[in-house]
Amino acid sequence: MLSPEDVQKVATLARLKLSEEELEQIGHQLGEILDYVAVLDEVDVSEVEPMAHVADVFNAFRADETRVSLPREESLSNAPKTDGKYFLVPQILENA
Amino acid sequence: MDITGSTTGQLLDAMQNGTVSAVEVTQAYLNEISAHGETVGAFLSVDSEGSLTQAAEVDRKRSSGESLGKLAGLPVAVKDNICTKGLATTCASRMLENFVPPYDAHVTTQLQNADAIIIGKANLDEFAMGSSTENSALQVTRNPWNIDHAPGGSSGGSAAAVGARLASMGIGSDTGGSIRQPASFCGVVGMKPTYGRVSRYGLVAFASSLDQIGPFATDVTGTARLLESIAGYDVRDSTSVDRPVPGYSATVEQPLENLRVGVVSEFFGEGIDSDVDASIRAAIDVYRSLGAEVSEVSLPHTRYAVATYYLIACSEASSNLARYDGVHYGRRAEQFENMIDMYAASRAEGFGAEVKRRIMLGVFALSEGYSDQYYLKGLKVRRLIRNDFDAAFENVDVLAGPTCPTPAFKIGELVDDPLQMYLSDICTISANLAGIPGVSVPAGFSSNGLPIGLQLLAGPFEEEKLLRAARMFERETVWHTKRPSFS
């Protein structure tokens, strides 16, 4: 079972600002899911290689050629905050 | 002509010989959407003007003798996690409620190249996370066979649109059953191709090693036609596979000789509905009657598939969804204290409960001290699941079983019990872990009138065989010709 501190730590790592109620509910549900996932303890995987991907994928090289990229206006078209040139974010440096 | 009651083949023939125009076909579907769209709730947006313009262009090309694509004039519902330039692509999330992509997904371009008509964007579980479409933050979608029931998910909007004949075809994405399960629930054909068969460029990522785009249609031939139009290598998706795309629709009518069907014992386990059990066993008898060799097959690691899937899918999701930070696009909170708080507040406002739950599980499964026990363990069991399939396909051509252990559950029935909802994916999930193709075909109805789906699975890149095997069954049965009574 996860402690409330564990759940808060995961929420912080996940960059999710959760209410007390959400923390409690998700903590409880995560506990249930982790209990269920413990079924995997039955499986002996000592000789098994992990499989991150089903296909044998190799590095996909391509020619290093200049291509047209998305115009600035279109790149900024969905920005929550912009001055028309940049994506605007809150100040992160003191006295800048 | 009963336009919306026609198959893709009948519509293509009718447009080809001039019985109807593409504009008339599109208008007929738009009329159905006006009449029933609100009841079903399949679409998040309908592009009436754009689709009529596209249809008029098809008619113009035809009358001037220009060459036409394979899907010319067929209206298609596209799941709203697939980017369409200039048309909102919301993922059914508050996070992307106002997102209008500046580019098209590869699949969108392929549909346009085939002269298909993108009639609207279909509802889904938020970010494709769910099995009922109830996790949509924007809208409820109802099962066209009984509006108190869920359409399945996550591609529930696409499946319901095709089931209700509000579109001729649909595009979905399948990460753990998200095409096959709603196809089964809505009484249509739905297919998950082999991982890498269709480019994921422009598909909003959920779990990158599992996600695959695929087709819906009312019959197997339409499914084959749509798949051959969207499949193929794309340099912009480095996991798409560079091998030729067979002409699936050209061979789909050819029955397979000496077909060997393996019946997966584990898919008939505890919790299977008795109507589903009876329908699927009857479906297997159809293959016997056609001379197929039927044998019992075991996939011994099936009982670990759901646990393995949730560890891997959520881990990948937690990484993929880290991009939603309220900076470049998507929702930004109004109130926050600093930069980090802006991320956390924006994400808390933008994501719904299931998405938060999965991100939390993924972050936990990847976190220091736990990743060996959870994520890495999942990757190892994944290999054992793939090995089960490799062994099975040494002796059989296709595997058969139910798509889902039950017919469509009621809206609200499982919504407070995430684990039970996850377990409804028990028969579909292992195909994603193994990367193999699967199809769901209408195979009967429950005693209360809800569709039941037969699932067939085949080895990697065996889509042609899979579609031919599916068509062999469909030709002997009438289930795919049934339509929900409201329409």
Side-chain angles (χ1 to χ4, degrees):
Chain A
M1 211 55 197
L2 296 173
S3 69
E5 294 75 33
D6 290 336
V7 182
Q8 181 54 64
K9 188 185 168 204
V10 174
T12 304
L13 290 171
R15 299 284 187 260
L16 285 169
K17 195 174 191 174
L18 302 179
S19 66
E20 287 298 318
E21 198 183 324
E22 281 180 309
L23 283 169
E24 197 190 312
Q25 195 191 19
I26 292 180
H28 175 73
Q29 288 166 335
L30 284 187
E32 280 186 351
I33 294 165
L34 293 175
D35 286 346
Y36 174 74
V37 163
V39 70
L40 299 184
D41 293 344
E42 293 171 15
V43 191
D44 178 9
V45 293
S46 51
E47 302 293 317
V48 183
E49 281 293 306
M51 185 188 207
H53 218 276
V54 291
D56 295 319
V57 183
F58 302 95
N59 196 6
F61 291 101
R62 60 171 172 75
D64 184 17
E65 290 163 349
T66 310
R67 284 178 303 179
V68 178
S69 56
L70 215 52
R72 174 180 252 169
E73 193 183 324
E74 288 180 37
S75 303
L76 292 169
S77 62
N78 285 286
K81 203 166 184 192
T82 174
D83 61 358
K85 288 183 189 161
Y86 300 102
F87 295 100
L88 296 187
V89 295
Q91 184 177 320
I92 53 169
L93 298 174
E94 300 281 326
N95 309 317
Chain B
M1 182 184 182
D2 176 12
I3 291 173
T4 59
S6 302
T7 65
T8 57
Q10 289 165 337
L11 288 176
L12 288 171
D13 287 347
M15 287 186 278
Q16 178 66 37
N17 66 31
T19 313
V20 290
S21 68
V23 168
E24 286 170 324
V25 169
T26 293
Q27 190 59 59
Y29 281 101
L30 289 172
N31 292 347
E32 286 295 295
I33 293 171
S34 298
H36 305 294
E38 213 161 304
T39 310
V40 182
F43 289 100
L44 290 173
S45 58
V46 176
D47 187 19
S48 310
E49 196 181 322
S51 59
L52 286 169
T53 306
Q54 292 170 57
E57 176 63 9
V58 168
D59 287 334
R60 187 200 63 74
K61 279 189 187 174
R62 196 187 305 280
S63 65
S64 63
E66 288 174 45
S67 68
L68 283 165
K70 280 184 177 172
L71 307 173
L74 296 177
V76 56
V78 176
K79 189 176 183 178
D80 209 24
N81 61 349
I82 292 173
C83 286
T84 43
K85 186 175 181 174
L87 287 180
T89 299
T90 65
C91 289
S93 180
R94 295 281 172 219
M95 180 61 80
L96 292 176
E97 204 170 0
N98 301 310
F99 177 66
V100 179
Y103 67 97
D104 278 322
H106 181 72
V107 164
T108 305
T109 305
Q110 294 286 84
L111 290 170
Q112 287 161 348
N113 290 344
D115 290 312
I117 311 298
I118 297 175
I119 197 163
K121 301 295 297 290
N123 199 15
L124 64 152
D125 285 297
E126 183 177 3
F127 285 101
M129 295 180 187
S131 310
S132 68
T133 312
E134 290 167 284
N135 294 332
S136 169
L138 305 181
Q139 189 170 293
V140 176
T141 300
R142 297 176 178 280
N143 190 308
W145 293 90
N146 183 331
I147 58 169
D148 294 331
H149 288 251
S154 67
S155 311
S158 304
V162 177
R165 307 307 195 257
L166 306 179
S168 177
M169 310 176 296
I171 293 287
S173 63
D174 190 315
T175 305
S178 281
I179 291 175
R180 291 160 288 157
Q181 185 254 27
S184 163
F185 281 13
C186 293
V188 299
V189 181
M191 184 172 189
K192 180 199 102 69
T194 307
Y195 183 81
R197 182 71 290 188
V198 179
S199 167
R200 295 180 293 111
Y201 177 78
L203 167 69
V204 177
F206 158 18
S208 304
S209 81
L210 304 165
D211 297 340
Q212 186 59 205
I213 294 172
F216 290 96
T218 61
D219 65 356
V220 174
T221 307
T223 305
R225 193 174 277 122
L226 182 50
L227 178 63
E228 71 197 10
S229 301
I230 61 172
Y233 177 66
D234 169 28
V235 70
R236 298 169 299 181
D237 173 5
S238 60
T239 63
S240 75
V241 176
D242 190 4
R243 52 194 282 164
V245 179
Y248 303 115
S249 64
T251 55
V252 70
E253 288 297 331
Q254 297 168 16
L256 293 156
E257 285 176 29
N258 308 316
L259 176 67
R260 296 165 304 165
V261 177
V263 179
V264 183
S265 338
E266 287 82 1
F267 291 174
F268 294 85
E270 201 184 326
I272 189 169
D273 174 273
S274 58
D275 293 338
V276 172
D277 185 88
S279 292
I280 301 308
R281 293 198 189 276
I284 289 155
D285 283 339
V286 169
Y287 282 104
R288 278 198 189 90
S289 74
L290 292 168
E293 184 192 312
V294 176
S295 58
E296 286 270 323
V297 167
S298 175
L299 301 171
H301 293 93
T302 298
R303 73 186 242 98
Y304 308 114
V306 172
T308 302
Y309 172 84
Y310 279 93
L311 291 175
I312 294 173
C314 294
S315 295
E316 293 185 14
S318 72
S319 173
N320 273 325
L321 273 65
R323 74 189 65 178
Y324 301 103
D325 55 5
V327 174
H328 299 95
Y329 55 93
R331 190 184 186 95
R332 180 184 293 190
E334 298 281 335
Q335 304 288 328
F336 50 83
E337 288 159 22
N338 52 43
M339 188 75 179
I340 300 289
D341 191 51
M342 184 189 87
Y343 298 150
S346 300
R347 291 162 63 78
E349 284 181 15
F351 294 140
E354 181 64 23
V355 175
K356 288 176 183 170
R357 192 152 50 227
R358 295 199 194 194
I359 291 173
M360 291 283 285
L361 178 59
V363 167
F364 177 71
L366 290 173
S367 64
E368 192 181 356
Y370 294 101
S371 64
D372 281 2
Q373 186 187 346
Y374 292 111
Y375 179 63
L376 196 63
K377 183 77 184 259
L379 294 184
K380 290 178 177 178
V381 181
R382 179 179 193 179
R383 183 171 298 280
L384 296 174
I385 290 168
R386 169 65 185 251
N387 291 350
D388 282 356
F389 281 106
D390 288 347
F393 289 125
E394 283 183 15
N395 302 309
V396 300
D397 296 300
V398 295
L399 292 169
T403 306
C404 186
T406 65
F409 38 82
K410 282 194 168 161
I411 290 173
E413 193 176 333
L414 299 181
V415 82
D416 293 327
D417 193 344
L419 196 52
Q420 276 309 310
M421 185 76 91
Y422 297 173
L423 288 170
S424 76
D425 297 332
I426 184 80
C427 301
T428 48
I429 238 166
S430 34
N432 299 77
L433 290 166
I436 61 169
V439 64
S440 180
V441 188
F445 289 89
S446 65
S447 52
N448 57 348
L450 291 164
I452 290 167
L454 165 71
Q455 179 180 229
L456 299 173
L457 303 167
F461 297 100
E462 299 268 29
E463 282 85 0
E464 185 187 343
K465 190 195 274 183
L466 194 56
L467 288 160
R468 287 168 68 186
R471 176 61 188 143
M472 285 169 73
F473 171 76
E474 186 186 66
R475 191 188 288 122
E476 302 298 318
T477 56
V478 297
W479 311 118
H480 66 289
T481 64
K482 306 288 183 194
R483 293 169 64 184
S485 57
F486 78 85
S487 63

